[in-house]
Amino acid sequence: SSLIRFNTATMQTEFAFGKADQFTFSDFTLGGVYKLSDGRLLVGGIQKIPTELQFDTSPPNDDGFRSQAFNLLKTYRGKVYSISSIDSSVTFNYDSPDGLFVSDCSMTSDGDVLVAESSIVQNSGRTIKIDGFGNINYVLSNGQFSIINHARESGSGHIIIST
């Protein structure tokens, strides 16, 4: 499993979600877990996609970090779920567009889902807010981000982004 809740008193796993061939996390874009006030979990990471859905982009021309990340992530896309930690039922589901990978997620004070999406190949990473109906109602991009580590609302309409 990619996500577990472990009880330190009983030394038992109480909840498990995801598998490498389904939903997982990546060393390159991390992902995130955020506990919601009703006990559900908001999880952001990557999900395996079929070969015919893989994005058509050339890999970087080096053997460094970006090239390695591209080769390992080309069969995945970013994914956000809101899940019950009791029965794994899904109450929210978002797929990132081609070439973007979820590196963090949280809730805002107005109930929107705040998602940080990283880009490996080019500076097209972005931070978005998604309402309860699945509509993207805010985008911060402008080609200035590649890898985004963390994004959180900080009050008064501000968002703090760590790159």
Side-chain angles (χ1 to χ4, degrees):
S1 294
S2 300
L3 172 67
I4 62 169
R5 183 177 63 206
F6 189 76
N7 185 324
T8 57
T10 64
M11 302 302 285
Q12 298 293 314
T13 298
E14 295 181 338
F15 171 77
F17 180 79
K19 297 178 188 171
D21 62 340
Q22 296 172 349
F23 177 87
T24 191
F25 299 103
S26 162
D27 292 340
F28 293 103
T29 58
L30 301 182
V33 178
Y34 186 84
K35 184 176 179 186
L36 302 172
S37 60
D38 63 2
R40 289 178 299 129
L41 299 173
L42 188 65
V43 295
I46 57 176
Q47 183 172 31
K48 192 90 166 156
I49 58 174
T51 304
E52 62 272 10
L53 295 178
Q54 294 174 19
F55 59 98
D56 186 26
T57 303
S58 299
N61 292 329
D62 62 46
D63 59 352
F65 173 84
R66 289 186 191 282
S67 181
Q68 291 176 31
F70 177 86
N71 288 328
L72 290 172
L73 294 174
K74 65 184 175 186
T75 60
Y76 291 90
R77 75 169 29 159
K79 186 75 168 177
V80 177
Y81 287 114
S82 173
I83 57 173
S84 165
S85 60
I86 296 170
D87 63 5
S88 297
S89 60
V90 174
T91 56
F92 178 83
N93 182 353
Y94 167 76
D95 290 317
S96 295
D98 291 349
L100 291 179
F101 306 96
V102 175
S103 49
D104 194 27
C105 59
S106 63
M107 292 295 283
T108 63
S109 58
D110 59 2
D112 288 344
V113 177
L114 179 63
V115 179
E117 295 175 311
S118 292
S119 170
I120 300 299
V121 178
Q122 53 195 354
N123 284 351
S124 59
R126 66 186 189 165
T127 299
I128 60 174
K129 285 173 59 175
I130 306 169
D131 68 17
F133 298 105
N135 301 309
I136 296 174
N137 58 25
Y138 171 84
V139 178
L140 175 61
S141 179
N142 303 329
Q144 55 190 340
F145 303 118
S146 182
I147 303 292
I148 300 172
N149 298 313
H150 201 66
R152 286 289 186 270
E153 182 182 59
S154 67
S156 304
H158 294 90
I159 296 173
I160 296 176
I161 300 170
S162 165
T163 60

